[in-house]
Amino acid sequence: MKRIVLTISLALGSYCAAAADLDASALKANSQREVIEQAAEVIQARYVDPAMGRKVADAIRKEAKSDAFKRDSEPEAFAQALTMELRKLSGDGHFRINYSAQPVPLPDARTADQYEEDDDSWAGPAVNHGFESVRRIDDNIGYLDLRVFAPPRVAADMLQSAMTLLAQSKVLIIDLRNNGGGDSGMDMLMAAYLLDKPAEMSAIYDRPSNQLTRTTTPVWVPGRRFGGTKPVYVLISHKTFSAAEAFAYDLQAMKRITVVGEASGGGAHPYERRRLTDHFLIKLPEMRSINPITGTDWQGVGVKPDVPTPPDQALDKALELAHAALAKEATSAGKSTH
C-alpha cells in the first residue's frame, strides 16, 4: 500500500512539475508578446520613418503570434534577438532593446532624460572618456585617436587639453576608425576647433513633434584652435557610427577635411530611450539628420571617403597625404621668397 501511495505521489509530483514548467513557458511567451506588442506600438507611433515604422511593427506582431522568439527564453538573449530583428527589418543600427534586472520606473513628465545611460558605462574613466592617443608625429603632424564622443560635461576639459597640444601642428590626423559615436555636443565642440568661425552643422528633425532644430558650432572654445585652413585628415571605417559619422559628414560637406578609409556604418537617426515594460527599454530612432549643404544624411550608406583605403592602411595613407601637403607648402613658400 505504501508503494502504491508513493508511486501515486511521485506521479502527481512529476505532473505538477511539468505543469509548472508549462506555466513558466507560457508566462515567458506571454511576457515576450507583451514586450513585442509595446515595441510595435511605440515604433509605429514614433519611428522617424512612418512607413517603415508600420512595416516593422506589423512584422514583429506576426512574429510574436508565431512565438518566433520562444527559443530565446533568457531575458538578455531575447533582448538581443529582438534587437537584431528590428535592425534587419529596418536597416537601422540605432535600434536596441535593453533588459534591466531592476524595475524600470514609469515615465515622469517632470523629469528629462530619465532613461539616459550613465555616462561612465560607455564613456567614463575606464576608456579615458574616449581619448586613446594624442601625439605628434614626424614633420609636426598632429594625431588624435578618439574612440567615443563623450558628453562635454564630462570631457570638454580633455578635448581642450588635446586640441591645445595639437593646435601648433601643421597637419592634423583625427582617427575615428574605432569610434561608435556618442554625444552630439562633443561632435560640434570638436568641429569648432577646426574652424575659424561658427558654422551650421546637420539639423535634427524630430518626427513625434514635427520640429526641425538647427545646430551651429560654438562661437568660442576654450584653449587653442587648430584653425580653419591647415590640412585635416579624418580616418573612418565600418565601425565609425552615429555622432562620429556626423562629425566626418558635416566637415566633409564643408570641404574642411579629407576623409580617408572605408564607408562608415550608416547611422544618422538619433534615438530616445523609452520604457516598454517593467524590465525592458527600447532605443528608438525618432529623429533624422539633415545637412544644410547636401540636404540629406548618411543613413544606410555611411560617410563615403574622399580617399578610399582599407582601414588598416588608412593611417599610412593619411601620413602619405600629409607629407605631400607639407612638401607642396614648402615648395610654394620657397617660390614666394624669390
Side-chain angles (χ1 to χ4, degrees):
M1 185 67 179
K2 288 183 179 179
R3 287 183 180 178
I4 297 174
V5 172
L6 180 59
T7 301
I8 294 173
S9 298
L10 288 172
L12 286 172
S14 298
Y15 173 81
C16 291
D21 288 340
L22 287 172
D23 287 344
S25 298
L27 285 171
K28 286 180 180 178
N30 288 338
S31 296
Q32 287 186 352
R33 293 189 198 106
E34 181 186 3
V35 172
I36 293 169
E37 179 52 43
Q38 292 301 317
E41 185 176 320
V42 73
I43 289 168
Q44 185 168 332
R46 305 185 72 92
Y47 183 62
V48 63
D49 181 334
M52 179 59 73
R54 287 192 297 273
K55 176 183 174 181
V56 171
D58 289 344
I60 61 174
R61 283 184 175 119
K62 289 179 182 178
E63 291 173 345
K65 289 179 180 178
S66 66
D67 289 335
F69 300 96
K70 186 176 181 179
R71 66 185 181 279
D72 303 299
S73 58
E74 295 300 319
E76 295 87 350
F78 168 62
Q80 178 65 17
L82 184 53
T83 294
M84 299 311 295
E85 186 64 10
L86 291 173
R87 291 179 180 180
K88 183 180 77 172
L89 290 167
S90 66
D92 197 324
H94 272 119
F95 265 117
R96 181 180 292 276
I97 302 294
N98 286 128
Y99 168 73
S100 171
Q102 300 300 318
V104 179
L106 292 169
D108 185 347
R110 298 166 299 177
T111 305
D113 300 330
Q114 62 182 297
Y115 297 136
E116 285 299 301
E117 292 177 287
D118 176 29
D119 295 337
D120 284 353
S121 68
W122 60 277
V127 295
N128 204 37
H129 302 302
F131 290 84
E132 185 70 16
S133 177
V134 182
R135 58 192 172 96
R136 285 176 58 180
I137 306 176
D138 59 322
D139 288 340
N140 203 3
I141 299 170
Y143 175 78
L144 169 62
D145 183 352
L146 188 66
R147 302 292 177 92
V148 69
F149 278 77
R153 63 180 175 271
V154 300
D157 59 336
M158 294 190 70
L159 180 62
Q160 174 188 345
S161 299
M163 297 309 295
T164 296
L165 288 171
L166 296 168
Q168 291 67 239
S169 301
K170 293 181 180 179
V171 180
L172 179 59
I173 297 172
I174 300 176
D175 194 341
L176 302 180
R177 287 176 293 177
N178 293 294
N179 193 312
D183 192 287
S184 61
M186 184 65 90
D187 156 22
M188 291 194 291
L189 181 59
M190 192 162 84
Y193 281 96
L194 307 181
L195 303 167
D196 294 322
K197 59 183 180 180
E200 189 172 0
M201 303 280 273
S202 285
I204 301 297
Y205 168 72
D206 178 69
R207 180 206 166 182
S209 66
N210 194 32
Q211 291 185 346
L212 182 72
T213 303
R214 298 188 179 278
T215 62
T216 304
T217 59
V219 174
W220 175 86
V221 294
R224 302 183 186 186
R225 290 180 192 258
F226 182 77
T229 58
K230 294 182 288 184
V232 179
Y233 300 93
V234 174
L235 314 184
I236 64 171
S237 75
H238 68 283
K239 296 179 182 178
T240 309
F241 196 68
S242 196
E245 293 180 282
F247 175 85
Y249 187 90
D250 287 343
L251 289 172
Q252 182 188 53
M254 296 178 203
K255 301 187 183 304
R256 175 62 191 95
I257 63 172
T258 299
V259 179
V260 182
E262 66 178 355
S264 59
H269 291 165
Y271 64 84
E272 292 285 351
R273 283 165 60 89
R274 302 206 175 273
R275 181 184 188 275
L276 297 177
T277 65
D278 287 347
H279 294 279
F280 287 89
L281 289 157
I282 184 172
K283 288 183 178 179
L284 177 59
E286 301 182 7
M287 296 159 270
R288 76 169 71 254
S289 305
I290 304 175
N291 181 271
I293 297 171
T294 67
T296 184
D297 61 27
W298 58 96
Q299 178 64 30
V301 297
V303 179
K304 300 300 178 65
D306 299 303
V307 184
T309 309
D312 60 346
Q313 300 172 28
L315 179 55
D316 289 339
K317 186 63 178 180
L319 286 170
E320 177 188 325
L321 295 169
H323 285 123
L326 290 170
K328 182 178 180 180
E329 180 187 356
T331 301
S332 299
K335 289 180 179 179
S336 65
T337 59
H338 292 79

